[in-house]
Amino acid sequence: MGAVKSAKGKRMPRAVRERQMMDAAVRTFGQRGYRAASMDEIAELAGVSKPLVYLYLNSKEELFTACIRREAQALIEAVRAGVEPGLPADRQLWTGLAAFFTHTAQHPDGWAVLHRQARTHGEPFAAVVTAMRDELVAFVTTLIGAAAREAHRGPELADRDVAGLAQALVGAAESLAGWANETGAVTAKEAAGTLMNFAWMGLGNLMEGRRWSPSR
Amino acid sequence: MGAVKSAKGKRMPRAVRERQMMDAAVRTFGQRGYRAASMDEIAELAGVSKPLVYLYLNSKEELFTACIRREAQALIEAVRAGVEPGLPADRQLWTGLAAFFTHTAQHPDGWAVLHRQARTHGEPFAAVVTAMRDELVAFVTTLIGAAAREAHRGPELADRDVAGLAQALVGAAESLAGWANETGAVTAKEAAGTLMNFAWMGLGNLMEGRRWSPSR
Amino acid sequence: MGAVKSAKGKRMPRAVRERQMMDAAVRTFGQRGYRAASMDEIAELAGVSKPLVYLYLNSKEELFTACIRREAQALIEAVRAGVEPGLPADRQLWTGLAAFFTHTAQHPDGWAVLHRQARTHGEPFAAVVTAMRDELVAFVTTLIGAAAREAHRGPELADRDVAGLAQALVGAAESLAGWANETGAVTAKEAAGTLMNFAWMGLGNLMEGRRWSPSR
Amino acid sequence: MGAVKSAKGKRMPRAVRERQMMDAAVRTFGQRGYRAASMDEIAELAGVSKPLVYLYLNSKEELFTACIRREAQALIEAVRAGVEPGLPADRQLWTGLAAFFTHTAQHPDGWAVLHRQARTHGEPFAAVVTAMRDELVAFVTTLIGAAAREAHRGPELADRDVAGLAQALVGAAESLAGWANETGAVTAKEAAGTLMNFAWMGLGNLMEGRRWSPSR
DNA sequence: GATGAATGAGTCTTCATTCAT
DNA sequence: AATGAATGAAGACTCATTCAT
């Protein structure tokens, strides 16, 4: 699965080689971490010499950034593609979550790069992930808002509550995705279901004005 | 707070020196990451020479492991100490969460070591954190079980559901702690309240048999 | 002046291409130095691909040698062209010096290659410059000898004195040329005048038997 | 001559090792040039491992700068020490020049570093040499001024003329020193004498109002 | 006549780790 | 109890140079 096929030394168009290198880089960064990954290892895994990696991708830092960017884009794309516009908002949310868990399960190294490595190392990198995360949160916020409007029961939902919910939902999804990847305990659909149970129910409670408070 | 005071070269009992070194190490590992942290920097920050660090802690790997272990223990201790046995289960859970958020906020480097660094690097380290996490999950599971028994309304709660809830709760707490530390957006009590709203309400729903399902 | 105009990839006669390359090389070598100059930069500045540079000029070493040779020839040519045969010897010397300073001022990179870079790096290169320098010294020696014969006043001038004078004159000229190029403090004519004041007056003194000696 | 004596691996106080390293560096930089000299070669010549060189001298750039600074200081010191304050100004100048030529002849690598290498490579380095040169020029200017006052014959000497003379004198000395080093053609005293003949006589002429001019 | 693709060899630099005292 | 001196091994990055087309 994912084994690089090219015979070493074969002349290939730049675009192809570049993709091979990035594949190798994502895998290596995802498994070893940014610092522990060596350009030597990446080059070897990609089936090319080190100078070629530098010729095409300039530096370890730029290579890592390119990986983050590519994986972030792919993940967002996958989530967007997983959402079917015609459905009611809760079903849309569910399919989006399922797509998210499916993608992260199918690209564990990419997810490791995004969720673990990119955030563990300093500022050139974290920003890219933050941007992606914000995009996701905004997307989820829209869906929740729509759902609240569709199923209008009881008092208005404050923007602040919606934002909090979205934030927590994405955070929980990230946490669950990592857990699922590492332990293999749940499938994508199960994970999506679990999250819906928390989020949707929580949303319902808020809309009905029920809250937990320390005083009672 | 954190400024090392000892004059360099002063003879000091081993235990004290060891604590200074580990303090320096936690700070350095937490801020730079395992690979980027250098023994030189740690020794200097601790106000001792490098050979002394090796004399007491043997190797970078062992030093890191010791840090993880110490910080994990401290965190668990803090949570346990935050729980008052006499209270009803939901209040106990709340105070435990508050203690968790308080501790992570007060020891950001320790939390960074546990939550980010230890899991980002290979197998010698991740295991220690996993063990701590399991301990926390077990603890939370107990509380949730007790709460369910106390507030017995409706059908029995399946063990599986309780486990899922506990798992999710801890995951969400971790995610929130990181977020709170990085952005400083919420206080410990606020974070605990937010989580209770999700978890407790979710629990209530489950106990009353309400679930979200894709089919409807 | 200096801006390379050719569209990349256009077929051009070999001689033209070769000149473009050497122009680029002189500029790069002069500004960066032999080691710091990269074939990549030279090729790009010349507007051709690297293999073409190798096809025409074989290696970095040969390219550098070719540059030195070309610039040396050009400098000598300029000096010779500046001397008008009919004039009295001192005027000839003056016009020669002026031509020297003019040329070095107009070709700063070429002069840097000859005066700085070629002598700074080992033996394949220094020899070429030495040869050129010897040619210049010989030329000046001739002029000085002629002048001495023309203005015969007092005792014979020993060959040794003439040689010393010529040597010193060329050395001083080189030093002044570098200084003028770097600081832009004097024009070519001013520099020539300054040198004449030293050299010619020194010559006059020698011819009249006046010397400085430590004993008095 | 100059062979480093220390047995490899022997523990030595830092100051001693540092001097060994700088000696090796001056030699290597002087012969190979800044770029061509490799830290490996320097370390080996100094009889230590590369990391030690970095531990003590930080980087190639700093090492080179340190060399330049040390050699510049040594040269200035030598010239100052060679001048005996009690003598008449012309004798002082002569002894100073002799000291200069003696020192450069005895430290050819140091002189190569200062005169060739430091000026051939960019701005971190050239500045140090320029500063030293300015110091020398100022020193010589003083002497010439004093001499002019001592031997007051004829019209006042303009400051501008004195400055020009000093500048030219130092330039000529530098050029001669290089020539003497490379060819071994003249001794220090001969070189000093030659220069005095030019400079002193030139000075005398200027003081007597005699000048060469193109018009006649 | 001209180039895109590719690399072996080498350079600077850092780091965990150990002696000898 | 504590340290100044020292290094083997490895990692990021560059460059002159060559094929195949």
Side-chain angles (χ1 to χ4, degrees), chain C residues 37-39 50 54 59-60:
Chain C
S38 87
M39 295 297 271
K50 242 187 316 176
Y54 278 88
S59 76
K60 196 184 186 182

Side-chain angles (χ1 to χ4, degrees), chain D residues 95-159:
Chain D
T95 54
L97 284 172
F100 174 86
F101 288 116
T102 303
H103 184 89
T104 53
Q106 277 172 350
H107 303 81
D109 294 323
W111 177 242
V113 164
L114 290 179
H115 181 52
R116 250 185 224 316
Q117 308 305 343
R119 313 184 105 165
T120 308
H121 305 93
E123 240 333 287
F125 313 124
V128 183
V129 182
T130 301
M132 174 205 71
R133 207 191 127 104
D134 289 349
E135 212 174 321
L136 273 185
V137 169
F139 184 55
V140 168
T141 305
T142 311
L143 285 185
I144 293 183
R149 250 172 280 114
E150 279 177 17
H152 196 310
R153 319 164 276 184
E156 267 316 306
L157 252 187
D159 277 4

